[in-house]
Amino acid sequence: MIKKISIAIIFSFCCCKQIESNTTNVISKEKSSVVYKSITNINWFENFKTDTIITNEIYWKNIIQKDSLKKEFKTDFANSLPLRNKTIKFLWQTKAHDILINQDYCKTISEPERAALSYVAMEALSDGKLDKSRKECTIQTALDLDYQCSFKYKCYLELWFRNDYSSLTKIYKCDIHSNMSSVQNRFDEITLTVKGNKIYIDFELEGFNRDIWHSRNTGNAVFLVEDDNIRVVKEVLSQTKYIYYYPNSSGEVPPKGYKSNGHGEYCLPKKKKSNIYFFLSIT
């Protein structure tokens, strides 16, 4: 008797659940119908898009843009002039402290040279003027790559350095150098040399921090050109030389070890060369 009652209770419970489920489905369909009717006359994407949809939209736009840029860069490569041995001054500072960029060279530059210069240009600001027209310019705009670390600029570098993983890491971390920052580094000179399938770039950097300090250092990079890609085989940046100014508007005192020259400038004293004598004993 108890067994029969238990079976009856279980059967009744299952029937109730089925009825509840069917009712929920009907209500859900009705709600869906109402929602569908309510959105037929409005822009669904504008009213109901989520963060995920927005992210996907941006992602696919970037993929499409990246693909179109790669096609553009490949066309540039197909039309590129061949590498020829040369030494060119690409950027320099005049006696009047103007920064000039070689305008004629930019018109005849080969793609590997363009890629090498673009890579070096990540180091500092490159505001200047084209030497012939005196039009305001930067290395990036002179090389037709928008602004420093722009989408186009990074995409170009990623394509050319795609087989150089250590360089790609630096490219991914590319930071924009602001000319509004209190601390700035700028190019004073860039010279490019081509020998066979190698490109050598030597450059000079000038930095300053308001009226607190001024700095100078040099660097050089060597690139190996391999058909339609390029890799860094050497990259050296010299130790930075500082000149501190005191007094200054910030009241900052020069670091220990810096000596005054009597004109408000503080530098590290030059190390004296020690005379070392070698004695060769002949027996």
Side-chain angles (χ1 to χ4, degrees), residues 80-83 86 105 108-115 156 199:
S80 174
L81 294 170
L83 273 179
K86 63 168 85 72
Y105 173 61
T108 59
I109 191 170
S110 72
E111 284 305 304
E113 293 164 50
R114 182 186 179 200
Y156 180 78
I199 299 172

Side-chain angles (χ1 to χ4, degrees), residues 100-117:
L100 299 182
I101 295 174
N102 194 324
Q103 189 170 355
D104 288 339
Y105 173 61
C106 291
K107 295 174 183 176
T108 59
I109 191 170
S110 72
E111 284 305 304
E113 293 164 50
R114 182 186 179 200
L117 284 167

Side-chain angles (χ1 to χ4, degrees), residues 11-58:
F11 179 75
S12 301
F13 179 76
C14 290
C15 287
C16 290
K17 279 291 178 183
Q18 184 64 40
I19 293 166
E20 183 183 342
S21 176
N22 291 338
T23 306
T24 303
N25 287 338
V26 170
I27 293 169
S28 180
K29 285 178 182 177
E30 287 177 355
K31 281 185 178 180
S32 297
S33 178
V34 171
V35 171
Y36 176 76
K37 287 176 183 176
S38 69
I39 66 173
T40 50
N41 297 322
I42 61 175
N43 187 329
W44 180 87
F45 186 79
E46 289 301 321
N47 286 272
F48 294 95
K49 63 185 177 182
T50 64
D51 290 342
T52 305
I53 293 172
I54 293 168
T55 303
N56 286 339
E57 179 194 16
I58 293 169

Side-chain angles (χ1 to χ4, degrees), residues 56-89:
N56 286 339
E57 179 194 16
I58 293 169
Y59 171 77
W60 287 112
K61 278 184 178 178
N62 283 345
I63 291 294
I64 293 165
Q65 187 182 358
K66 200 169 209 177
D67 189 53
S68 62
L69 283 172
K70 283 184 179 179
K71 287 177 182 176
E72 177 190 323
F73 298 147
K74 285 177 182 177
T75 302
D76 290 343
F77 173 73
N79 299 325
S80 174
L81 294 170
L83 273 179
R84 288 193 178 132
N85 291 352
K86 63 168 85 72
T87 296
I88 292 283
K89 189 160 280 191

Side-chain angles (χ1 to χ4, degrees), residues 23-255:
T23 306
T24 303
N25 287 338
V26 170
I27 293 169
S28 180
K29 285 178 182 177
E30 287 177 355
K31 281 185 178 180
S32 297
S33 178
V34 171
V35 171
Y36 176 76
K37 287 176 183 176
S38 69
I39 66 173
T40 50
N41 297 322
I42 61 175
N43 187 329
W44 180 87
F45 186 79
E46 289 301 321
N47 286 272
F48 294 95
K49 63 185 177 182
T50 64
D51 290 342
T52 305
I53 293 172
I54 293 168
T55 303
N56 286 339
E57 179 194 16
I58 293 169
Y59 171 77
W60 287 112
K61 278 184 178 178
N62 283 345
I63 291 294
I64 293 165
Q65 187 182 358
K66 200 169 209 177
D67 189 53
S68 62
L69 283 172
K70 283 184 179 179
K71 287 177 182 176
E72 177 190 323
F73 298 147
K74 285 177 182 177
T75 302
D76 290 343
F77 173 73
N79 299 325
S80 174
L81 294 170
L83 273 179
R84 288 193 178 132
N85 291 352
K86 63 168 85 72
T87 296
I88 292 283
K89 189 160 280 191
F90 174 70
L91 178 147
W92 64 96
Q93 185 178 118
T94 67
K95 290 181 179 178
H97 301 291
D98 285 333
I99 300 296
L100 299 182
I101 295 174
N102 194 324
Q103 189 170 355
D104 288 339
Y105 173 61
C106 291
K107 295 174 183 176
T108 59
I109 191 170
S110 72
E111 284 305 304
E113 293 164 50
R114 182 186 179 200
L117 284 167
S118 301
Y119 181 87
V120 169
M122 289 192 292
E123 293 289 347
L125 285 166
S126 57
D127 298 338
K129 298 176 183 176
L130 295 173
D131 65 323
K132 296 291 177 68
S133 64
R134 296 286 168 150
K135 182 181 177 182
E136 296 289 336
C137 196
T138 65
I139 292 178
Q140 290 79 21
T141 52
L143 299 177
D144 190 25
L145 291 172
D146 292 343
Y147 55 89
Q148 190 179 47
C149 300
S150 69
F151 184 83
K152 183 177 180 180
Y153 181 60
K154 291 176 78 171
C155 183
Y156 180 78
L157 287 173
E158 286 170 17
L159 178 65
W160 267 97
F161 290 87
R162 63 187 179 277
N163 295 330
D164 185 356
Y165 301 114
S166 59
S167 297
L168 281 174
T169 302
K170 182 176 177 178
I171 292 164
Y172 293 145
K173 294 179 180 178
C174 180
D175 291 323
I176 297 174
H177 297 260
S178 172
N179 57 12
M180 300 298 290
S181 173
S182 58
V183 179
Q184 296 182 21
N185 282 303
R186 295 177 178 273
F187 287 103
D188 269 355
E189 188 174 304
I190 300 177
T191 303
L192 178 142
T193 300
V194 178
K195 290 182 182 178
N197 66 338
K198 286 186 177 179
I199 299 172
Y200 303 80
I201 296 182
D202 298 291
F203 57 91
E204 293 180 9
L205 290 172
E206 182 178 17
F208 61 88
N209 180 2
R210 298 186 297 255
D211 62 338
I212 299 171
W213 54 255
H214 178 267
S215 69
R216 297 194 73 83
N217 60 346
T218 59
N220 62 77
V222 183
F223 302 86
L224 179 66
V225 180
E226 300 173 325
D227 192 21
D228 63 346
N229 67 91
I230 191 170
R231 63 176 70 238
V232 180
V233 294
K234 183 184 177 184
E235 194 173 5
V236 178
L237 192 63
S238 72
Q239 188 174 1
T240 307
K241 295 180 180 178
Y242 291 94
I243 297 175
Y244 283 83
Y245 302 103
Y246 189 78
N248 54 63
S249 60
S250 303
E252 292 208 20
V253 178

Side-chain angles (χ1 to χ4, degrees), residues 261-280:
N261 64 0
H263 302 285
E265 297 177 352
Y266 288 74
C267 308
L268 281 174
K270 291 182 181 180
K271 292 182 179 179
K272 293 181 180 179
K273 291 183 180 179
S274 57
N275 295 322
I276 302 174
Y277 299 94
F278 294 93
F279 296 94
L280 180 65

